[in-house]
Amino acid sequence: MNDTRPASGCEGEDLSPIHVSQEQFRRATTHLKGLKKGLLDFLSYPKRTISVCFPIEMEDESVTTFHGYRVLHNSIMGPGKGGIRYHPCVNEGEVTALALLMTWKCALMRIPFSGAKGGVACDPKQLSQTELRRITRRFISELGDNIGPHTDIPAPDLYTNAQTMAWIFDTYDMMHPGRNNRPVVTGKPLELGGSPGREDATARGCLIAAERFLSLAGMPELGGLDGARVAIQGFGQVGAHAARLFREAGASITAVSDSQGGIASSDGTSLDVTQVLAWKREHGTVVGMPGTQSLTNQGLLELPCDILIPAAMGNQITQENAPRIQARLVVEAANRPVSPEADDILTARGIPLLPDILANAGGVAVSYFEWVQNIENQEWHLDEVNRKLREKMVAATDAVVARWRQLPAAGDSPPSLCTDLRTAALVEAIERVANITLKRGIWP
Ligand code: NAD
C-alpha cells in the first residue's frame, strides 16, 4: 500500500526507499567506469537535509505535533525542484531517495533544476481543509529561506494539489512582500500563475513516452496504442488523466483502481472514463461503479493487459508478484513502484519497463515551463505548452532507447539479463550530471 510496505512473502528483499535508490544507482554506475575517482560517491549524497517539527492547533482545539522534511540533493544544474507530499509514511529516507530521483529526472529532461523533495508525515484523509492549510503555512514558514524562486522550488505530489501550492505561494509572499514571488512554487491554480497543461502534464508525458517507445522498440505484439488494453493502478491526479488521455489515443482502459480497490470492465470493452470520474467524484472511490467487476489492487496488477501503469505508490511490484505480471509493457507513472528485484524478473521475462525518471517526467517539464512563464510574467497558450512538452519527452525517450541499445549487460548480471531501460536512463542522467559537475569544476 505504501512506500514502506514490508516485503511480505519475499524474504530478503529490502524495499526501503534508500536501499532501492542506492541499488538502482549502483547498477547504473557499473556502466560508468571512466569518471573521476570519488565523483560518483559525491553524487550519491544529499547536499542538505532539513527536518522540522511543529505544533498545529486542530479543529477540536487540541495540539498535534507534525514532522516535515525538505531535502536538496544538490544544486549542480540549478535550483532544487521537487514535490511536497502529505502521507503517514513520509520520512527522511523516503524524501532523500525521491530528491535524488528528481535530479536524474531533470538531467534526463535537460531541465536546469536539481533534485529536491519534501513532505509532512500526516494523514490528509483525517484532516480538515483548515488543518491542512495551517500545516502547509507552518511547514513553509519553518523552511524559511531554504525555499525560494532561485534556491528550491516545491510542487505538488501525493495528496497535495493546486490548493496546497496556492497556500505555499501565499505564505512565501507574505514573508517576502514587494516582489514577484510566483516562481517560488509550481503547480499553482491558473489564476495564481499556474501553467496551462500542468494538471495533466505527468499523464501526457507518460502517453508521449509510451507512444514514442512503441514506435522505436518494434515490439511485434504491441505496435501502438490503438486498441491496446491498459490497466491503471491509482486514480488520482496522474492516474485519472492517464486513463482519459490513453483512451483518447485509442487505447481500451480495461481496469482502474484507487486506495479502496479496483474495477474492471465486465465485458472486456473499455471502461467509460468520464463515467468513472463522475462516480469517483460522487462516491470518493471507483469501487462499486455499476456495470463493472470489483477486484483487489493486487488483482489489477496481475491482470492480462498490454500496458500496466502503476500510478499510485512505491513498491507495488516486487519479487513476490513480478512473476505474475501479465502486461507486455510497464509504464511507471508513480515514483519507484517497481523494486530492483522485480526489475530483474521483468527483464528476464522480456517485459520492458519505462522507468519513472522518464515516464513521469512530464510533470517537472511543465513545472519548469510554469517557472519560466512566472519569471517573465507571461502566460503561454496550452498548445505551446503541450508542443514543448512533446519535444522534451520525445528527446528524452530517444536518448534512453539509444543508451539501452548501446549498453552491454552489467558485469554482475546473470547472463540472461540484458540491461533494462531504467539502468539505461540512469546511466544517461548520471553521466550528464557528472559532466556538468566537472565542467563547473569542484569548488574551490
Ligand atoms: P494523488 O494523491 O492525486 O493520487 C494517488 C492515487 O493513488 C489516489 O487515487 C489514491 O486513492 C491511489 N492509491 C493510494 N494507495 C493506493 C493503492 N495501494 N492502490 C491503488 N491506488 C492507491 O497522487 P498523484 O499526484 O496522482 O501521484 C501518484 C504517483 O505519481 C505518486 O507516486 C507521485 O509521486 C507520482 N508523480 C506525480 C506527479 C504529479 O504531477 N502529480 C509527477 C510525478 C510523479
Side-chain angles (χ1 to χ4, degrees):
M1 145 85 200
N2 55 53
D3 284 356
T4 53
R5 191 173 73 153
S8 54
C10 37
E11 260 175 51
E13 189 174 18
D14 184 348
L15 295 175
S16 69
I18 281 291
H19 168 77
V20 172
S21 166
Q22 285 171 348
E23 176 58 15
Q24 292 172 346
F25 186 80
R26 188 196 64 76
R27 289 174 180 211
T29 54
T30 59
H31 297 278
L32 288 168
K33 293 285 185 222
L35 286 171
K36 197 178 183 69
K37 190 163 177 265
L39 182 59
L40 290 172
D41 185 46
F42 161 67
L43 292 178
S44 70
Y45 290 105
K47 176 187 170 94
R48 186 181 70 198
T49 300
I50 299 168
S51 165
V52 295
C53 167
F54 54 86
I56 291 294
E57 191 168 8
M58 310 300 280
E59 297 270 20
D60 65 2
E61 295 185 4
S62 66
V63 174
T64 301
T65 305
F66 290 90
H67 297 267
Y69 309 89
R70 185 74 186 171
V71 174
L72 177 68
H73 178 203
N74 59 49
S75 45
I76 292 165
M77 295 183 295
K81 187 85 194 84
I84 287 184
R85 55 171 55 185
Y86 289 170
H87 193 272
C89 293
V90 164
N91 59 50
E92 191 180 312
E94 179 191 68
V95 173
T96 304
L98 290 167
L100 267 68
L101 199 79
M102 284 303 294
T103 297
W104 316 135
K105 213 179 278 189
C106 292
L108 201 57
M109 295 296 282
R110 293 200 189 282
I111 288 171
F113 290 142
S114 303
K117 203 79 181 188
V120 177
C122 63
D123 184 355
K125 289 183 180 168
Q126 308 299 325
L127 296 164
S128 71
Q129 284 296 295
T130 304
E131 288 163 344
L132 283 168
R133 179 165 47 78
R134 287 178 188 161
I135 289 169
T136 304
R137 287 192 184 287
R138 181 68 192 243
F139 178 49
I140 293 305
S141 71
E142 293 284 344
L143 294 180
D145 282 340
N146 291 299
I147 64 163
H150 300 285
T151 48
D152 184 357
I153 305 144
D157 195 69
L158 266 180
Y159 295 107
T160 56
N161 54 25
Q163 177 60 75
T164 326
M165 302 306 113
W167 293 329
I168 293 177
F169 163 71
D170 186 68
T171 306
Y172 188 85
D173 198 49
M174 289 295 147
M175 292 163 62
H176 303 83
R179 62 191 203 205
N180 172 18
N181 288 313
R182 287 185 166 193
V184 71
V185 62
T186 60
K188 300 180 292 295
L190 271 181
E191 54 273 43
L192 280 178
S195 177
R198 175 61 185 88
E199 207 176 297
D200 67 9
T202 304
R204 190 175 295 280
C206 283
L207 176 83
I208 299 167
E211 268 177 335
R212 185 69 179 177
F213 175 73
L214 291 177
S215 75
L216 295 172
M219 292 173 67
E221 65 289 5
L222 184 57
L225 294 181
D226 199 25
R229 295 160 307 154
V230 177
I232 304 176
Q233 185 201 43
F235 206 69
Q237 176 152 283
V238 180
H241 283 300
R244 176 179 58 81
L245 292 170
F246 275 77
R247 182 71 189 126
E248 284 170 13
S252 179
I253 310 303
T254 51
V256 297
S257 69
D258 58 31
S259 58
Q260 297 184 45
I263 53 169
S265 92
S266 24
D267 57 3
T269 59
S270 181
L271 295 166
D272 182 326
V273 177
T274 313
Q275 276 181 19
V276 181
L277 273 169
W279 181 266
K280 166 110 184 162
R281 214 167 287 133
E282 193 178 337
H283 300 271
T285 173
V286 297
V287 177
M289 191 174 122
T292 63
Q293 287 175 348
S294 293
L295 71 165
T296 61
N297 263 304
Q298 202 53 39
L300 178 135
L301 295 173
E302 296 171 16
L303 279 181
C305 64
D306 295 307
I307 303 177
L308 174 62
I309 307 182
M313 313 292 290
N315 292 336
Q316 296 302 298
I317 303 177
T318 63
Q319 72 179 23
E320 193 272 321
N321 60 355
R324 298 191 299 279
I325 300 298
Q326 299 189 61
R328 294 193 158 115
L329 171 68
V330 178
V331 179
E332 288 189 326
N335 284 318
R336 253 193 19 257
V338 179
S339 72
E341 286 77 4
D343 271 342
D344 288 344
I345 294 167
L346 296 180
T347 305
R349 293 182 58 214
I351 301 173
L353 175 148
L354 294 185
D356 43 17
I357 63 167
L358 171 66
N360 70 34
V364 71
V366 176
S367 273
Y368 164 58
F369 300 155
E370 180 175 331
W371 182 76
V372 174
Q373 292 170 74
N374 291 162
I375 285 176
E376 295 176 347
N377 272 312
Q378 295 284 340
E379 186 182 326
W380 302 348
H381 194 272
L382 176 62
D383 292 344
E384 187 181 353
V385 173
N386 285 343
R387 180 180 54 76
K388 287 182 194 288
L389 172 63
R390 176 168 292 279
E391 280 170 14
K392 284 227 167 275
M393 290 304 307
V394 166
T397 308
D398 289 0
V400 171
V401 171
R403 268 289 176 169
W404 186 47
R405 292 195 164 131
Q406 281 166 12
L407 287 179
D412 55 354
S413 298
S416 60
L417 294 185
C418 63
T419 299
D420 55 288
L421 285 151
R422 185 191 315 285
T423 303
L426 279 168
V427 170
E428 181 71 23
I430 295 168
E431 190 180 77
R432 288 182 189 181
V433 179
N435 286 336
I436 294 169
T437 310
L438 293 177
K439 280 247 163 67
R440 289 180 64 143
I442 306 286
W443 178 265

